[in-house]
Amino acid sequence: MQNAQLATKTDLNRQTRVQLRSNVVVGGTDLLIVGGPCSVESLEQMETVADQLSSIAVQALRGGVYKPRTSPYSFQGLGEAGLEILDTVRKQYDLPVITEVMAITQIAVLAERVDALQVGSRNMQNFDLLKALGQAGKPIILKRGLAATVEELVMAAEYILSHGNPNVVLCERGIRSFDPYTRNVLDLGAVVALKQLTHLPVIVDPSHAAGKRELVPDLARAAIACGADGLLIECHPEPEQSISDARQALSLDTMAALVESLQPIAAAVGRSIPMPLQPFTHHPAA
Ligand code: PEP
Ligand code: MN
């Protein structure tokens, strides 16, 4: 990796911390747990998710409003209406929010409303988008491409860093292989390698790797055991009813049990899980 000067680790102790909010940081001792549905579907859905996740040790919400779908006839996301919903729950529950950016033209409007922008696997090598995100002024969660090598992922991060944005979080989300039993193959070897090679935080998305909800909790625990700085997990109030990625969505109860089960593993590898950002509160309908 001859040209990777910004992302690679020259000093072994160097570790970048990326701040999503003043009290939500990834890359330190504390793990970052992000949860939420694949797609934002309705205000009610996101309020239910935010209400339950804010009472457990989940520090940020996810939810796509611009969705990269294989078929142009599949649900493409709620767009600006979805962004309004994210903005509402972000303020109501004081939780940082992450959503995917697919195009340069979306950056400004998304940056006003969300705390971090996700670059999806399908855009990992959209170099013009990466360059523009160098100027976005928001942390970037950069997902590994469907069949990208570790070097290609590091170089994609390098595009964002070298264009002015030091706040990049790498995300391993599984790579394509021959076996359709799992949607992708979760490459924990890459997580270990990225932690050694770079000073950037590395999180793991076991949901898109596994593609099946029953595989997600064990993979999530394995990711923390091998040194990941956090997790990005899809969960939904009614997982089977999810408009996208239903098969891999956890119920909110399973999500809570999973987060609880991470505590001893985190402790065993010298990490901690921050307490819930806010005590459980009911928000009665007006
Ligand atoms: C997502 O997070 O919903 C998503 C589309 O992920 P990926 O880009 O990893 O497929
Ligand atoms: Mn998804």
Side-chain angles (χ1 to χ4, degrees), residues 70-131:
T70 300
S71 166
Y73 307 113
S74 299
F75 176 62
Q76 302 285 303
L78 291 180
E80 291 213 20
L83 201 48
E84 288 287 334
I85 294 172
L86 281 180
D87 197 36
T88 304
V89 291
R90 174 184 188 235
K91 288 180 184 143
Q92 196 175 339
Y93 292 88
D94 198 27
L95 274 173
V97 160
I98 299 168
T99 200
E100 178 162 349
V101 59
M102 296 214 303
I104 294 175
T105 50
Q106 294 163 357
I107 294 176
V109 63
L110 289 177
E112 262 178 43
R113 301 267 181 84
V114 303
D115 300 276
L117 301 173
Q118 175 178 316
V119 177
S121 292
R122 291 153 192 83
N123 271 314
M124 189 204 84
Q125 286 189 315
N126 181 340
F127 298 117
D128 282 347
L129 178 62
L130 300 178
K131 287 183 202 169

Short mmCIF file of all heavy atoms in Angstrom, two decimals, residues 70-131:
data_model
loop_
_atom_site.label_atom_id
_atom_site.label_comp_id
_atom_site.label_asym_id
_atom_site.label_seq_id
_atom_site.Cartn_x
_atom_site.Cartn_y
_atom_site.Cartn_z
N THR A 70 -31.32 -3.67 -5.61
CA THR A 70 -30.92 -4.41 -6.81
C THR A 70 -31.90 -4.17 -7.95
O THR A 70 -31.50 -3.97 -9.10
CB THR A 70 -30.83 -5.91 -6.47
OG1 THR A 70 -29.86 -6.05 -5.43
CG2 THR A 70 -30.42 -6.73 -7.67
N SER A 71 -33.19 -4.19 -7.61
CA SER A 71 -34.20 -3.97 -8.65
C SER A 71 -34.73 -2.53 -8.59
O SER A 71 -35.07 -2.04 -7.51
CB SER A 71 -35.38 -4.93 -8.45
OG SER A 71 -36.47 -4.50 -9.23
N PRO A 72 -34.86 -1.89 -9.74
CA PRO A 72 -35.41 -0.53 -9.74
C PRO A 72 -36.89 -0.52 -9.37
O PRO A 72 -37.46 0.53 -9.09
CB PRO A 72 -35.20 -0.05 -11.17
CG PRO A 72 -35.12 -1.29 -11.99
CD PRO A 72 -34.50 -2.35 -11.09
N TYR A 73 -37.52 -1.70 -9.35
CA TYR A 73 -38.94 -1.78 -9.01
C TYR A 73 -39.16 -2.00 -7.51
O TYR A 73 -40.29 -1.99 -7.04
CB TYR A 73 -39.63 -2.89 -9.82
CG TYR A 73 -39.36 -2.72 -11.30
CD1 TYR A 73 -38.59 -3.63 -12.00
CD2 TYR A 73 -39.84 -1.60 -11.97
CE1 TYR A 73 -38.31 -3.45 -13.34
CE2 TYR A 73 -39.56 -1.40 -13.31
CZ TYR A 73 -38.80 -2.32 -14.00
OH TYR A 73 -38.51 -2.12 -15.32
N SER A 74 -38.07 -2.25 -6.76
CA SER A 74 -38.20 -2.40 -5.31
C SER A 74 -38.27 -1.02 -4.66
O SER A 74 -37.83 -0.02 -5.24
CB SER A 74 -36.99 -3.14 -4.74
OG SER A 74 -36.89 -4.43 -5.29
N PHE A 75 -38.79 -1.01 -3.44
CA PHE A 75 -38.88 0.23 -2.63
C PHE A 75 -37.54 0.97 -2.62
O PHE A 75 -36.51 0.38 -2.27
CB PHE A 75 -39.28 -0.18 -1.21
CG PHE A 75 -39.34 0.93 -0.21
CD1 PHE A 75 -40.24 1.99 -0.37
CD2 PHE A 75 -38.52 0.91 0.92
CE1 PHE A 75 -40.30 3.01 0.57
CE2 PHE A 75 -38.59 1.92 1.87
CZ PHE A 75 -39.48 2.97 1.69
N GLN A 76 -37.57 2.22 -2.98
CA GLN A 76 -36.31 2.98 -3.12
C GLN A 76 -36.02 3.88 -1.91
O GLN A 76 -35.07 4.65 -1.94
CB GLN A 76 -36.37 3.85 -4.39
CG GLN A 76 -36.60 3.05 -5.67
CD GLN A 76 -35.37 2.28 -6.15
OE1 GLN A 76 -34.32 2.87 -6.36
NE2 GLN A 76 -35.49 0.96 -6.28
N GLY A 77 -36.86 3.77 -0.89
CA GLY A 77 -36.67 4.63 0.28
C GLY A 77 -37.62 5.81 0.23
O GLY A 77 -38.10 6.19 -0.83
N LEU A 78 -37.89 6.41 1.42
CA LEU A 78 -38.86 7.50 1.49
C LEU A 78 -38.27 8.84 1.07
O LEU A 78 -38.98 9.84 1.00
CB LEU A 78 -39.43 7.62 2.91
CG LEU A 78 -40.33 6.50 3.41
CD1 LEU A 78 -40.80 6.79 4.84
CD2 LEU A 78 -41.54 6.29 2.50
N GLY A 79 -36.95 8.89 0.87
CA GLY A 79 -36.33 10.15 0.44
C GLY A 79 -36.50 11.24 1.49
O GLY A 79 -36.39 10.99 2.69
N GLU A 80 -36.85 12.44 1.03
CA GLU A 80 -36.91 13.59 1.96
C GLU A 80 -37.93 13.38 3.08
O GLU A 80 -37.71 13.84 4.20
CB GLU A 80 -37.21 14.87 1.19
CG GLU A 80 -36.03 15.26 0.33
CD GLU A 80 -35.85 16.77 0.17
OE1 GLU A 80 -36.38 17.52 1.01
OE2 GLU A 80 -35.17 17.16 -0.79
N ALA A 81 -39.02 12.67 2.79
CA ALA A 81 -40.01 12.41 3.84
C ALA A 81 -39.37 11.54 4.93
O ALA A 81 -39.63 11.72 6.13
CB ALA A 81 -41.23 11.71 3.25
N GLY A 82 -38.51 10.62 4.53
CA GLY A 82 -37.81 9.79 5.50
C GLY A 82 -36.81 10.59 6.32
O GLY A 82 -36.62 10.35 7.52
N LEU A 83 -36.22 11.55 5.67
CA LEU A 83 -35.26 12.42 6.35
C LEU A 83 -35.95 13.25 7.44
O LEU A 83 -35.41 13.46 8.53
CB LEU A 83 -34.62 13.32 5.29
CG LEU A 83 -33.29 13.95 5.60
CD1 LEU A 83 -32.29 12.96 6.17
CD2 LEU A 83 -32.75 14.58 4.32
N GLU A 84 -37.18 13.70 7.14
CA GLU A 84 -37.98 14.42 8.14
C GLU A 84 -38.22 13.54 9.36
O GLU A 84 -38.14 13.99 10.51
CB GLU A 84 -39.37 14.78 7.56
CG GLU A 84 -39.36 15.88 6.53
CD GLU A 84 -39.11 17.23 7.18
OE1 GLU A 84 -39.42 17.38 8.37
OE2 GLU A 84 -38.59 18.12 6.48
N ILE A 85 -38.51 12.27 9.10
CA ILE A 85 -38.77 11.32 10.19
C ILE A 85 -37.50 11.15 11.03
O ILE A 85 -37.54 11.20 12.27
CB ILE A 85 -39.27 9.97 9.63
CG1 ILE A 85 -40.64 10.16 8.97
CG2 ILE A 85 -39.30 8.89 10.71
CD1 ILE A 85 -41.15 8.93 8.21
N LEU A 86 -36.39 10.97 10.36
CA LEU A 86 -35.12 10.82 11.10
C LEU A 86 -34.84 12.04 11.96
O LEU A 86 -34.41 11.94 13.11
CB LEU A 86 -33.95 10.61 10.12
CG LEU A 86 -33.76 9.22 9.53
CD1 LEU A 86 -32.56 9.21 8.59
CD2 LEU A 86 -33.58 8.16 10.63
N ASP A 87 -35.09 13.20 11.38
CA ASP A 87 -34.84 14.45 12.09
C ASP A 87 -35.72 14.56 13.33
O ASP A 87 -35.28 14.98 14.40
CB ASP A 87 -35.11 15.60 11.12
CG ASP A 87 -34.49 16.90 11.60
OD1 ASP A 87 -33.39 16.84 12.17
OD2 ASP A 87 -35.11 17.96 11.40
N THR A 88 -36.97 14.12 13.18
CA THR A 88 -37.91 14.17 14.31
C THR A 88 -37.44 13.27 15.44
O THR A 88 -37.35 13.71 16.60
CB THR A 88 -39.33 13.74 13.85
OG1 THR A 88 -39.71 14.58 12.76
CG2 THR A 88 -40.34 13.82 14.97
N VAL A 89 -37.09 12.02 15.14
CA VAL A 89 -36.70 11.11 16.23
C VAL A 89 -35.33 11.50 16.80
O VAL A 89 -35.08 11.34 17.99
CB VAL A 89 -36.69 9.62 15.82
CG1 VAL A 89 -38.10 9.11 15.57
CG2 VAL A 89 -35.81 9.32 14.65
N ARG A 90 -34.50 12.01 15.96
CA ARG A 90 -33.16 12.46 16.42
C ARG A 90 -33.32 13.53 17.50
O ARG A 90 -32.63 13.50 18.53
CB ARG A 90 -32.45 13.01 15.19
CG ARG A 90 -31.13 13.66 15.43
CD ARG A 90 -30.68 14.22 14.09
NE ARG A 90 -29.33 14.73 14.12
CZ ARG A 90 -29.00 15.95 13.77
NH1 ARG A 90 -29.93 16.81 13.37
NH2 ARG A 90 -27.74 16.34 13.80
N LYS A 91 -34.26 14.46 17.28
CA LYS A 91 -34.46 15.52 18.26
C LYS A 91 -35.24 15.00 19.47
O LYS A 91 -34.90 15.29 20.60
CB LYS A 91 -35.23 16.68 17.62
CG LYS A 91 -34.35 17.45 16.63
CD LYS A 91 -35.14 18.59 16.01
CE LYS A 91 -34.32 19.30 14.94
NZ LYS A 91 -35.14 19.73 13.80
N GLN A 92 -36.28 14.22 19.18
CA GLN A 92 -37.15 13.74 20.26
C GLN A 92 -36.38 12.86 21.25
O GLN A 92 -36.60 12.94 22.44
CB GLN A 92 -38.28 12.94 19.62
CG GLN A 92 -39.45 12.68 20.50
CD GLN A 92 -40.56 11.96 19.71
OE1 GLN A 92 -40.61 12.02 18.47
NE2 GLN A 92 -41.42 11.28 20.40
N TYR A 93 -35.47 12.05 20.75
CA TYR A 93 -34.77 11.09 21.62
C TYR A 93 -33.32 11.46 21.83
O TYR A 93 -32.59 10.75 22.52
CB TYR A 93 -34.87 9.67 21.03
CG TYR A 93 -36.29 9.16 21.10
CD1 TYR A 93 -37.18 9.41 20.08
CD2 TYR A 93 -36.73 8.47 22.22
CE1 TYR A 93 -38.49 8.99 20.14
CE2 TYR A 93 -38.05 8.03 22.30
CZ TYR A 93 -38.91 8.30 21.26
OH TYR A 93 -40.22 7.88 21.35
N ASP A 94 -32.87 12.54 21.22
CA ASP A 94 -31.50 13.02 21.37
C ASP A 94 -30.48 11.91 21.06
O ASP A 94 -29.50 11.73 21.76
CB ASP A 94 -31.29 13.57 22.79
CG ASP A 94 -30.07 14.46 22.85
OD1 ASP A 94 -29.71 15.04 21.82
OD2 ASP A 94 -29.45 14.53 23.95
N LEU A 95 -30.76 11.17 19.99
CA LEU A 95 -29.86 10.10 19.56
C LEU A 95 -29.22 10.48 18.24
O LEU A 95 -29.92 10.95 17.33
CB LEU A 95 -30.66 8.81 19.31
CG LEU A 95 -30.96 7.87 20.47
CD1 LEU A 95 -31.90 6.77 19.98
CD2 LEU A 95 -29.70 7.26 21.04
N PRO A 96 -27.91 10.27 18.08
CA PRO A 96 -27.32 10.50 16.77
C PRO A 96 -27.91 9.54 15.73
O PRO A 96 -28.28 8.42 16.06
CB PRO A 96 -25.83 10.22 16.96
CG PRO A 96 -25.63 9.91 18.38
CD PRO A 96 -26.96 9.80 19.07
N VAL A 97 -27.98 10.01 14.51
CA VAL A 97 -28.62 9.26 13.43
C VAL A 97 -27.65 9.11 12.25
O VAL A 97 -26.92 10.03 11.93
CB VAL A 97 -29.91 10.01 13.01
CG1 VAL A 97 -30.37 9.61 11.64
CG2 VAL A 97 -31.01 9.79 14.03
N ILE A 98 -27.66 7.90 11.67
CA ILE A 98 -26.79 7.60 10.53
C ILE A 98 -27.66 7.17 9.36
O ILE A 98 -28.55 6.34 9.53
CB ILE A 98 -25.83 6.43 10.89
CG1 ILE A 98 -24.95 6.83 12.07
CG2 ILE A 98 -25.00 6.01 9.68
CD1 ILE A 98 -24.17 5.66 12.67
N THR A 99 -27.40 7.70 8.18
CA THR A 99 -28.14 7.25 7.00
C THR A 99 -27.22 7.23 5.79
O THR A 99 -26.17 7.87 5.78
CB THR A 99 -29.40 8.12 6.77
OG1 THR A 99 -30.32 7.41 5.94
CG2 THR A 99 -29.07 9.44 6.09
N GLU A 100 -27.65 6.47 4.78
CA GLU A 100 -26.79 6.29 3.60
C GLU A 100 -26.90 7.45 2.63
O GLU A 100 -27.99 7.95 2.36
CB GLU A 100 -27.15 4.97 2.90
CG GLU A 100 -26.33 4.75 1.63
CD GLU A 100 -26.32 3.31 1.13
OE1 GLU A 100 -26.78 2.39 1.84
OE2 GLU A 100 -25.84 3.11 -0.01
N VAL A 101 -25.75 7.86 2.10
CA VAL A 101 -25.71 8.86 1.03
C VAL A 101 -25.35 8.13 -0.26
O VAL A 101 -24.39 7.37 -0.30
CB VAL A 101 -24.71 9.99 1.37
CG1 VAL A 101 -23.29 9.48 1.59
CG2 VAL A 101 -24.70 11.06 0.28
N MET A 102 -26.16 8.35 -1.30
CA MET A 102 -25.89 7.63 -2.56
C MET A 102 -25.33 8.54 -3.64
O MET A 102 -24.76 8.06 -4.62
CB MET A 102 -27.16 6.97 -3.08
CG MET A 102 -27.69 5.88 -2.17
SD MET A 102 -28.45 4.53 -3.09
CE MET A 102 -29.69 5.40 -4.01
N ALA A 103 -25.54 9.86 -3.48
CA ALA A 103 -25.15 10.77 -4.57
C ALA A 103 -24.60 12.08 -4.01
O ALA A 103 -24.99 12.50 -2.91
CB ALA A 103 -26.36 11.06 -5.44
N ILE A 104 -23.76 12.71 -4.78
CA ILE A 104 -23.19 14.00 -4.37
C ILE A 104 -24.31 15.01 -4.10
O ILE A 104 -24.24 15.78 -3.15
CB ILE A 104 -22.23 14.52 -5.46
CG1 ILE A 104 -21.01 13.60 -5.57
CG2 ILE A 104 -21.80 15.95 -5.17
CD1 ILE A 104 -20.05 13.94 -6.71
N THR A 105 -25.36 14.95 -4.91
CA THR A 105 -26.45 15.92 -4.76
C THR A 105 -27.20 15.76 -3.44
O THR A 105 -27.93 16.67 -3.04
CB THR A 105 -27.46 15.77 -5.92
OG1 THR A 105 -27.82 14.37 -6.00
CG2 THR A 105 -26.88 16.24 -7.24
N GLN A 106 -27.06 14.63 -2.77
CA GLN A 106 -27.77 14.42 -1.50
C GLN A 106 -26.96 14.91 -0.29
O GLN A 106 -27.49 15.03 0.81
CB GLN A 106 -28.06 12.92 -1.29
CG GLN A 106 -29.02 12.34 -2.29
CD GLN A 106 -28.96 10.81 -2.33
OE1 GLN A 106 -28.16 10.18 -1.65
NE2 GLN A 106 -29.81 10.22 -3.15
N ILE A 107 -25.67 15.18 -0.49
CA ILE A 107 -24.80 15.41 0.67
C ILE A 107 -25.27 16.60 1.51
O ILE A 107 -25.42 16.49 2.73
CB ILE A 107 -23.32 15.63 0.24
CG1 ILE A 107 -22.77 14.35 -0.38
CG2 ILE A 107 -22.46 16.05 1.43
CD1 ILE A 107 -21.35 14.49 -0.94
N ALA A 108 -25.55 17.73 0.87
CA ALA A 108 -25.86 18.94 1.64
C ALA A 108 -27.12 18.76 2.48
O ALA A 108 -27.12 19.06 3.69
CB ALA A 108 -26.02 20.13 0.70
N VAL A 109 -28.17 18.21 1.88
CA VAL A 109 -29.43 18.08 2.62
C VAL A 109 -29.30 17.05 3.74
O VAL A 109 -29.82 17.23 4.85
CB VAL A 109 -30.61 17.79 1.66
CG1 VAL A 109 -30.47 16.50 0.92
CG2 VAL A 109 -31.93 17.82 2.39
N LEU A 110 -28.53 15.98 3.49
CA LEU A 110 -28.34 14.97 4.54
C LEU A 110 -27.47 15.53 5.67
O LEU A 110 -27.75 15.31 6.85
CB LEU A 110 -27.69 13.71 3.97
CG LEU A 110 -28.56 12.85 3.05
CD1 LEU A 110 -27.77 11.67 2.50
CD2 LEU A 110 -29.79 12.33 3.79
N ALA A 111 -26.44 16.25 5.31
CA ALA A 111 -25.50 16.75 6.32
C ALA A 111 -26.17 17.70 7.31
O ALA A 111 -25.77 17.81 8.45
CB ALA A 111 -24.31 17.43 5.65
N GLU A 112 -27.24 18.36 6.85
CA GLU A 112 -27.97 19.27 7.75
C GLU A 112 -28.76 18.53 8.81
O GLU A 112 -29.10 19.06 9.84
CB GLU A 112 -28.99 20.06 6.92
CG GLU A 112 -28.53 21.42 6.53
CD GLU A 112 -29.59 22.09 5.67
OE1 GLU A 112 -30.80 22.00 6.00
OE2 GLU A 112 -29.18 22.69 4.67
N ARG A 113 -29.13 17.29 8.50
CA ARG A 113 -30.11 16.61 9.34
C ARG A 113 -29.59 15.39 10.09
O ARG A 113 -30.27 14.90 10.99
CB ARG A 113 -31.27 16.12 8.47
CG ARG A 113 -32.00 17.20 7.72
CD ARG A 113 -33.17 17.63 8.58
NE ARG A 113 -33.98 18.66 7.95
CZ ARG A 113 -34.94 18.42 7.09
NH1 ARG A 113 -35.20 17.20 6.73
NH2 ARG A 113 -35.64 19.39 6.61
N VAL A 114 -28.45 14.84 9.68
CA VAL A 114 -28.00 13.61 10.34
C VAL A 114 -26.59 13.79 10.90
O VAL A 114 -25.90 14.76 10.58
CB VAL A 114 -28.06 12.37 9.40
CG1 VAL A 114 -29.46 12.15 8.85
CG2 VAL A 114 -27.07 12.46 8.27
N ASP A 115 -26.19 12.84 11.74
CA ASP A 115 -24.91 12.98 12.45
C ASP A 115 -23.76 12.31 11.73
O ASP A 115 -22.60 12.65 11.97
CB ASP A 115 -25.06 12.40 13.86
CG ASP A 115 -26.15 13.14 14.62
OD1 ASP A 115 -25.84 14.20 15.18
OD2 ASP A 115 -27.32 12.70 14.59
N ALA A 116 -24.05 11.31 10.90
CA ALA A 116 -22.99 10.65 10.14
C ALA A 116 -23.59 10.10 8.85
O ALA A 116 -24.77 9.73 8.81
CB ALA A 116 -22.36 9.51 10.95
N LEU A 117 -22.77 10.06 7.81
CA LEU A 117 -23.23 9.58 6.50
C LEU A 117 -22.60 8.24 6.21
O LEU A 117 -21.39 8.06 6.38
CB LEU A 117 -22.83 10.58 5.41
CG LEU A 117 -23.36 12.00 5.59
CD1 LEU A 117 -22.76 12.94 4.56
CD2 LEU A 117 -24.88 12.00 5.47
N GLN A 118 -23.43 7.31 5.76
CA GLN A 118 -22.94 5.97 5.42
C GLN A 118 -22.74 5.88 3.91
O GLN A 118 -23.61 6.27 3.14
CB GLN A 118 -23.99 4.96 5.88
CG GLN A 118 -23.71 3.52 5.50
CD GLN A 118 -24.78 2.58 6.06
OE1 GLN A 118 -25.19 2.72 7.22
NE2 GLN A 118 -25.27 1.66 5.26
N VAL A 119 -21.57 5.38 3.52
CA VAL A 119 -21.35 5.05 2.11
C VAL A 119 -21.58 3.55 1.99
O VAL A 119 -20.90 2.77 2.66
CB VAL A 119 -19.92 5.41 1.64
CG1 VAL A 119 -19.70 4.98 0.20
CG2 VAL A 119 -19.67 6.90 1.80
N GLY A 120 -22.54 3.16 1.18
CA GLY A 120 -22.89 1.75 1.07
C GLY A 120 -21.87 0.99 0.23
O GLY A 120 -21.06 1.58 -0.49
N SER A 121 -21.96 -0.33 0.35
CA SER A 121 -21.02 -1.20 -0.37
C SER A 121 -20.97 -0.90 -1.86
O SER A 121 -19.91 -0.94 -2.48
CB SER A 121 -21.46 -2.65 -0.22
OG SER A 121 -21.28 -3.02 1.10
N ARG A 122 -22.15 -0.63 -2.41
CA ARG A 122 -22.22 -0.43 -3.86
C ARG A 122 -21.56 0.86 -4.30
O ARG A 122 -21.33 1.07 -5.49
CB ARG A 122 -23.68 -0.50 -4.32
CG ARG A 122 -24.22 -1.92 -4.20
CD ARG A 122 -25.72 -1.97 -4.00
NE ARG A 122 -26.14 -3.31 -3.61
CZ ARG A 122 -26.09 -3.77 -2.36
NH1 ARG A 122 -25.65 -3.00 -1.37
NH2 ARG A 122 -26.46 -5.00 -2.08
N ASN A 123 -21.28 1.73 -3.38
CA ASN A 123 -20.63 3.01 -3.72
C ASN A 123 -19.22 3.15 -3.17
O ASN A 123 -18.65 4.23 -3.23
CB ASN A 123 -21.48 4.18 -3.20
CG ASN A 123 -22.51 4.62 -4.21
OD1 ASN A 123 -22.19 4.78 -5.39
ND2 ASN A 123 -23.74 4.79 -3.77
N MET A 124 -18.67 2.04 -2.65
CA MET A 124 -17.36 2.18 -2.00
C MET A 124 -16.31 2.73 -2.94
O MET A 124 -15.37 3.40 -2.52
CB MET A 124 -16.89 0.84 -1.42
CG MET A 124 -15.65 0.99 -0.56
SD MET A 124 -14.66 -0.52 -0.42
CE MET A 124 -13.67 -0.43 -1.92
N GLN A 125 -16.44 2.45 -4.22
CA GLN A 125 -15.46 2.99 -5.16
C GLN A 125 -16.07 4.04 -6.10
O GLN A 125 -15.59 4.24 -7.22
CB GLN A 125 -14.81 1.87 -5.97
CG GLN A 125 -13.81 1.09 -5.11
CD GLN A 125 -12.98 0.11 -5.91
OE1 GLN A 125 -13.52 -0.61 -6.74
NE2 GLN A 125 -11.68 0.07 -5.67
N ASN A 126 -17.08 4.74 -5.60
CA ASN A 126 -17.60 5.89 -6.34
C ASN A 126 -16.69 7.06 -5.97
O ASN A 126 -16.93 7.79 -5.00
CB ASN A 126 -19.06 6.13 -5.92
CG ASN A 126 -19.69 7.27 -6.65
OD1 ASN A 126 -19.01 8.14 -7.20
ND2 ASN A 126 -21.02 7.29 -6.67
N PHE A 127 -15.62 7.20 -6.71
CA PHE A 127 -14.54 8.09 -6.28
C PHE A 127 -14.97 9.56 -6.21
O PHE A 127 -14.51 10.29 -5.34
CB PHE A 127 -13.30 7.90 -7.16
CG PHE A 127 -12.75 6.49 -7.06
CD1 PHE A 127 -12.72 5.66 -8.17
CD2 PHE A 127 -12.31 5.98 -5.84
CE1 PHE A 127 -12.23 4.35 -8.07
CE2 PHE A 127 -11.83 4.68 -5.73
CZ PHE A 127 -11.79 3.87 -6.85
N ASP A 128 -15.84 9.96 -7.12
CA ASP A 128 -16.29 11.37 -7.05
C ASP A 128 -17.10 11.61 -5.77
O ASP A 128 -16.98 12.65 -5.14
CB ASP A 128 -17.12 11.74 -8.29
CG ASP A 128 -16.22 12.00 -9.49
OD1 ASP A 128 -14.99 12.13 -9.30
OD2 ASP A 128 -16.74 12.06 -10.62
N LEU A 129 -17.93 10.62 -5.41
CA LEU A 129 -18.69 10.74 -4.16
C LEU A 129 -17.72 10.80 -2.97
O LEU A 129 -17.87 11.63 -2.07
CB LEU A 129 -19.67 9.56 -4.02
CG LEU A 129 -20.51 9.52 -2.73
CD1 LEU A 129 -21.43 10.74 -2.62
CD2 LEU A 129 -21.36 8.23 -2.67
N LEU A 130 -16.73 9.94 -2.97
CA LEU A 130 -15.76 9.91 -1.86
C LEU A 130 -15.03 11.25 -1.75
O LEU A 130 -14.85 11.79 -0.65
CB LEU A 130 -14.75 8.77 -2.05
CG LEU A 130 -15.32 7.35 -2.12
CD1 LEU A 130 -14.21 6.34 -2.37
CD2 LEU A 130 -16.09 6.99 -0.85
N LYS A 131 -14.63 11.81 -2.88
CA LYS A 131 -13.93 13.11 -2.85
C LYS A 131 -14.85 14.19 -2.28
O LYS A 131 -14.43 15.00 -1.46
CB LYS A 131 -13.52 13.52 -4.27
CG LYS A 131 -12.36 12.72 -4.83
CD LYS A 131 -12.00 13.29 -6.21
CE LYS A 131 -11.27 12.29 -7.06
NZ LYS A 131 -11.14 12.71 -8.46
#
